[in-house]
Amino acid sequence: MTGPLLSRIETPADLRLLARSQLRQVADEVRQEVVDVVSQTGGHFGSNLGSVELTVALHYVLDTPHDRLVWDVGHQTYPHKILTGRRSRMHTLRQLGGVSGFPRREESEYDTFGVGHSSTSISAALGMARAAQIKGERRRVVAVIGDGALTAGMAFEAMNNAGDPHEGKLVDMLVVLNDNDMSISPPVGALNKYLARLMSGKFYAAARESAKTMLRNAPPLFELARRFEEHAKGMVGPGTIFEEFGFNYVGPIDGHDLDSLVPTLENLRDKRGPQFLHVVTKKGYGYKPAEADPVKYHAASGRFNPAEGFPKSAPSKPTFTQIFGQWLCDMAEADVRLVAITPAMREGSGMVEFHKRFPDRYHDVGIAEQHAVTLAAGMACEGVKPVVAIYSTFLQRGYDQLIHDVAIQNLPVMFALDRAGLVGADGATHAGAYDIAYLRCVPNVALLAPSDEDQCRRALTAAFRHDGPAAVRYPRGAGVGTVVAPVLEALPWGRGEVRRRGHRIAILAFGTLLHPALAAAQALDATVADMKFIKPLDAALACELARYHDAVVTLEEGCVMGGAGSAVAEALATAGIDRPLLQLGLPDRFIEHGDPAKLLSLCGLDAAGIERSIVAHFGAILSAASAGPAGAQPAA
């Protein structure tokens, strides 16, 4: 139930009508709203609980949406959405047609920049601040970035650029570092609060500028004073590096203390030039189970009782992520050359057990996908066998490195591509829709698409043993429940397999869509092949099936343009085989968030949709009275 103050707030303008003394109650009511919403819908949890006071303070001090508020990653923006006109729709969070779990420009004018990946906020905010300069507009631009996002080079590239005057002009912008894991430093008590307010206040700023003016004519003294100030700050906070980038550093301060946050933000609001505010928050703040276990409570997969916390996981079919995690440990036991690399996705990629058992062979590089790929390349040069566990969508960030540092040198780096295809509630930013197209075109790179859990383990083994770059793509969640053989047996390299013999129509399925293809084929009496390899394609099998059938259908959970179906079309054209070809896959648009099964159905990639598409395109072939010249069956 919405609290009495929160029920009066439809926009931040309503929030700004309240007295500062009422903000603590607003924060408490927002936090309860987050708990109530996520317990019903699932979604990111700990990070949103930790950002409540900061969100309240920012909207209270800034004139949003005139002032631009840019969030990094975006998984801490539920309080922001609650305060910006979407409270009544939060029960639709992450559901088809409902509120997105991330900022989206088309959803609200308060979502100034769409985001789902990390470390983009400072670059985007700098762009907005520069645009304001060009247009002669007076506005404050604020980027809120988490401590983990500062492990990415892009954040430092942006700060380096922001601190450098453009045509003699510095931008007016504020970067707020939400340090929620004490990865830089913890707050250091009352003295620290006092210094933060002092360093952001008018007296300090005026004294600082006066001293600069007086000492500029005495360069040695100016440099001495600058270094003294820099190191004085360094004794009470980790601001030296940010000062070197040209920012005025303030903090760290307690990000849950509104009496400290609000006046500090007010002091910084009207200061000119690049400002940097370091706030320390606690993931899961205000909800005891989440405070005690922030990793577990990072996100809720579904509904839960807030009074009891997340339910214990019931035994169920293993997910593809778990299949990978077990394979990784087993292969590491069998091959001492194996090392595992992750860009800050230990839990998401199923590597917790590997980290525990093989700590010396586990490398978490932070949110730095480019570095992860080239690090693996360097290891491969020295005879190590690196496995880069990375989401399909995140490998896009390391694409240049994949081409230049891995593929051109034909290095044996293996990529385990989790979250291939649609991912459901996380939406377009997290969907692995393009890996087939962007990997298939790169020389030397092999790409495998297993259809079930056992095939996944065998595909991982084949890719690891391949003497060159190889990637295995597999979806989020569980498969059909195929029993996984514990042996480390590889798929036959580059070979597909006919799974059902039928007539007239041949369906070539890539990946887990094999199973709805088999269901559709049963109704149509079609042939189905589990292709297993996208590259190298089993061209011999594709051509054989095309010769002995009247039409060919390709099926993949990826974009159609440049995808596996295109590979089949190229193979048939090269062989001089002219057959009608229907390519089924994800449409040429970004697929929004929602239930994965529903999204596949809307894309026509469930059994019923596959059957409808084939009937619509090849109804005449299916209803033909005789088999015709293509009716014979190939040899077994």
Side-chain angles (χ1 to χ4, degrees):
M1 181 177 178
T2 301
L5 285 183
L6 188 56
S7 64
R8 293 159 49 185
I9 299 172
E10 290 300 322
T11 70
D14 299 322
L15 174 68
R16 292 190 282 271
L17 294 175
L18 301 178
R20 187 185 297 180
S21 60
Q22 295 174 291
L23 296 185
R24 178 69 266 166
Q25 182 179 339
V26 172
D28 291 341
E29 292 178 12
V30 169
R31 179 168 284 107
Q32 186 59 51
E33 193 84 6
V34 169
V35 173
D36 292 344
V37 166
V38 178
S39 69
Q40 295 300 309
T41 65
H44 289 97
F45 195 50
S47 53
N48 282 291
L49 294 175
S51 68
V52 170
E53 285 81 7
L54 178 58
T55 304
V56 170
L58 285 166
H59 280 296
Y60 187 74
V61 172
L62 299 174
D63 182 21
T64 54
H66 174 76
D67 288 336
R68 307 300 196 222
L69 183 55
V70 183
W71 296 92
D72 212 287
V73 183
H75 63 354
Q76 77 278 42
T77 54
Y78 298 178
H80 162 79
K81 288 174 182 271
I82 289 168
L83 292 172
T84 55
R86 286 164 279 185
R87 175 171 46 82
S88 64
R89 297 187 63 235
M90 290 299 286
H91 67 282
T92 69
L93 183 70
R94 293 160 43 95
Q95 299 169 35
L96 185 63
V99 174
S100 169
F102 299 92
R104 295 181 68 184
R105 283 173 54 82
E106 60 268 36
E107 187 176 286
S108 170
E109 64 178 332
Y110 293 92
D111 291 0
T112 60
F113 196 77
V115 65
H117 282 198
S118 167
S119 315
T120 61
S121 62
I122 304 176
S123 295
L126 176 58
M128 293 176 184
R130 288 251 169 94
Q133 272 187 341
I134 292 168
K135 295 162 68 178
E137 296 172 345
R138 185 81 168 98
R139 70 175 78 227
R140 173 59 65 182
V141 181
V142 178
V144 182
I145 187 168
D147 50 3
L150 278 182
T151 60
M154 184 175 179
F156 288 94
E157 292 171 15
M159 285 192 291
N160 183 57
N161 189 210
D164 184 30
H166 178 68
E167 298 297 321
K169 296 180 181 177
L170 285 167
V171 292
D172 296 331
M173 66 178 291
L174 168 65
V175 174
V176 178
L177 170 60
N178 180 12
D179 178 2
N180 64 16
D181 200 24
M182 294 189 295
S183 63
I184 297 179
S185 76
V188 289
L191 176 62
N192 183 69
K193 277 187 192 178
Y194 169 74
L195 288 172
R197 294 178 69 167
L198 174 67
M199 288 188 290
S200 67
K202 293 179 180 178
F203 175 79
Y204 173 83
R208 188 173 188 260
E209 292 305 313
S210 296
K212 279 185 180 180
T213 301
M214 288 188 294
L215 295 174
R216 283 192 196 281
N217 293 325
L221 291 177
F222 178 82
E223 180 63 16
L224 179 64
R226 186 190 70 80
R227 289 182 177 274
F228 177 80
E229 179 194 40
E230 179 180 285
H231 291 291
K233 285 185 177 183
M235 288 189 290
V236 295
T240 303
I241 186 172
F242 305 113
E243 293 274 353
E244 290 293 340
F245 277 116
F247 284 77
N248 175 47
Y249 173 88
V250 175
I253 64 172
D254 184 348
H256 301 297
D257 182 359
L258 286 161
D259 290 334
S260 191
L261 271 175
V262 171
T264 301
L265 285 170
E266 286 176 338
N267 286 336
L268 291 172
R269 177 181 54 200
D270 299 318
K271 291 178 71 67
R272 307 304 297 266
Q275 308 294 320
F276 193 101
L277 174 62
H278 179 181
V279 303
V280 177
T281 62
K282 186 177 182 63
K283 288 187 76 169
Y285 185 78
Y287 185 74
K288 295 302 182 185
E291 288 187 24
D293 193 347
V295 173
K296 176 181 177 181
Y297 282 85
H298 172 70
S301 58
R303 296 165 67 97
F304 67 95
N305 184 340
E308 299 174 359
F310 288 5
K312 292 183 179 179
S313 300
S316 60
K317 294 183 295 186
T319 65
F320 282 96
T321 301
Q322 290 169 333
I323 297 295
F324 166 73
Q326 183 61 57
W327 171 87
L328 190 65
C329 292
D330 293 346
M331 185 57 79
E333 288 278 10
D335 192 330
V336 297
R337 298 175 301 163
L338 184 150
V339 296
I341 299 169
T342 176
M345 296 303 296
R346 185 187 68 163
E347 287 77 19
S349 291
M351 304 172 74
V352 174
E353 183 65 20
F354 180 88
H355 184 200
K356 187 185 303 181
R357 290 175 55 185
F358 306 97
D360 293 341
R361 296 157 70 181
Y362 169 81
H363 303 270
D364 185 344
V365 302
I367 304 175
E369 294 87 356
Q370 294 169 299
H371 167 57
V373 176
T374 303
L375 173 70
M379 288 180 167
C381 286
E382 298 301 319
V384 173
K385 291 281 286 185
V387 176
V388 181
I390 190 168
Y391 290 6
S392 166
T393 184
F394 297 149
L395 183 56
Q396 293 163 182
R397 293 185 146 202
Y399 191 56
D400 179 78
Q401 288 69 30
L402 183 143
I403 294 174
H404 287 268
D405 301 335
V406 176
I408 288 178
Q409 303 184 92
N410 199 27
L411 294 171
V413 175
M414 177 189 156
F415 298 91
L417 302 185
D418 205 329
R419 273 62 166 182
L422 299 179
V423 293
D426 284 336
T429 58
H430 285 59
Y434 309 108
D435 56 79
I436 297 176
Y438 73 65
L439 289 175
R440 193 177 73 80
C441 63
V442 180
N444 294 332
V445 177
L447 179 58
L448 292 72
S451 58
D452 61 35
E453 298 91 332
D454 186 60
Q455 295 285 309
C456 185
R457 183 176 171 94
R458 296 177 67 197
L460 291 165
T461 302
F464 180 77
R465 291 176 178 168
H466 177 61
D467 188 22
V472 180
R473 73 184 313 259
Y474 48 90
R476 183 177 191 173
V480 294
T482 303
V483 176
V484 180
V487 296
L488 292 170
E489 181 181 337
L491 290 176
W493 192 255
R495 296 285 300 279
E497 176 188 9
V498 175
R499 293 289 296 270
R500 185 188 191 279
R501 293 286 183 182
H503 298 84
R504 297 194 170 279
I505 305 294
I507 304 174
L508 279 57
F510 295 85
T512 54
L513 290 185
L514 169 73
H515 304 287
L518 287 168
Q522 187 67 33
L524 300 171
D525 190 24
T527 294
V528 178
D530 179 1
M531 297 303 292
K532 303 181 184 180
F533 284 77
I534 296 165
K535 186 180 181 182
L537 178 73
D538 190 344
L541 178 58
C543 291
E544 179 188 39
L545 292 175
R547 288 191 182 98
Y548 288 96
H549 292 79
D550 296 322
V552 176
V553 178
T554 61
L555 186 61
E556 61 195 296
E557 195 172 339
C559 64
V560 171
M561 288 188 290
S566 297
V568 172
E570 293 158 9
L572 297 184
T574 299
I577 299 173
D578 184 13
R579 282 286 183 275
L581 175 63
L582 172 62
Q583 299 176 46
L584 298 179
L586 298 179
D588 185 24
R589 67 174 185 272
F590 294 110
I591 309 299
E592 65 173 298
H593 53 277
D595 176 73
K598 179 65 173 176
L599 294 178
L600 281 175
S601 176
L602 291 174
C603 292
L605 296 179
D606 59 350
I610 294 166
E611 182 182 345
R612 281 196 306 271
S613 294
I614 293 174
V615 170
H617 282 79
F618 301 132
I621 293 174
L622 290 167
S623 61
S626 61
Q633 288 292 305

